[in-house]
């Protein structure tokens, strides 16, 4: 199948499929005229990539873990013993980002709470427009 069909079947834009190829996540064959040719397994690979991106992993990490994951239909299962340590590291990184964002939100809440009543009223009135 060509890239347009892969895009339709996975609901992923063509430019993203090309990006996944640039990142080494997809490896299409080249047909006559240089067109990318994808196989059925590429549909599953794109779905795994999308799941991992949604989980907060970057493409460089995905390129490392993708070969060590099996799709059972309802979840991705690690198949390489050393993969779990990498996944725990990524989880810890994401937890730290969440913690940092929570601290930023709390600091912003403090600034908002310190606003004088008249400023708060004007701000709320402008939101009702």
């Amino acid at each position: 199948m060509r890239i347009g069909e892969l895009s339709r079947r996975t609901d992923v834009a063509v430019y993203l499929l090309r990006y996944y190829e640039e990142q080494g996540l997809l490896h299409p064959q080249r047909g006559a005229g240089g067109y990318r040719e994808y196989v059925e397994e590429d549909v599953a690979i794109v779905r795994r990539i999308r799941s991992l991106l949604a989980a907060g992993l970057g493409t460089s990490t995905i390129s490392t873990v993708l070969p060590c994951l099996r799709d059972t239909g309802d979840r991705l299962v690690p198949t390489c013993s050393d993969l779990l340590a990498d996944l725990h590291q990524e989880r810890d990184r994401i937890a730290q980002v969440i913690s940092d964002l929570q601290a930023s939100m709390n600091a912003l809440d403090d600034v908002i709470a310190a606003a004088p009543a008249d400023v708060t009223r004007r701000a709320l009135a402008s939101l009702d427009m």
Side-chain angles (χ1 to χ4, degrees), residues 14-127:
V14 168
Y15 77 92
L16 286 173
L17 296 173
R18 288 186 184 122
Y19 175 74
Y20 298 161
E21 181 184 357
E22 288 171 14
Q23 298 302 304
L25 303 175
L26 284 175
H27 306 284
Q29 299 297 312
R30 294 291 178 151
Y35 291 106
R36 293 170 177 86
E37 295 287 337
Y38 296 92
V39 295
E40 193 62 34
E41 175 63 15
D42 291 322
V43 173
I45 290 171
V46 170
R47 289 186 177 137
R48 279 184 231 141
I49 292 167
R50 300 300 291 175
S51 293
L52 294 168
L53 287 167
L57 302 181
T59 55
S60 62
T61 301
I62 292 172
S63 69
T64 303
V65 303
L66 194 59
C68 291
L69 292 173
R70 180 174 46 86
D71 191 344
T72 65
D74 62 337
R75 69 176 58 179
L76 297 176
V77 177
T79 59
C80 302
S81 58
D82 58 339
L83 177 61
L84 285 180
D86 293 339
L87 293 176
H88 279 288
Q89 252 182 341
E90 278 301 309
R91 188 185 185 290
D92 291 345
R93 181 192 65 77
I94 291 169
Q96 184 60 55
V97 169
I98 290 169
S99 177
D100 293 346
L101 287 170
Q102 186 66 52
S104 295
M105 189 170 70
N106 291 342
L108 188 55
D109 286 344
D110 289 344
V111 170
I112 292 168
D118 64 318
V119 172
T120 300
R121 274 193 305 278
R122 285 193 309 257
L124 291 175
S126 71
L127 293 177

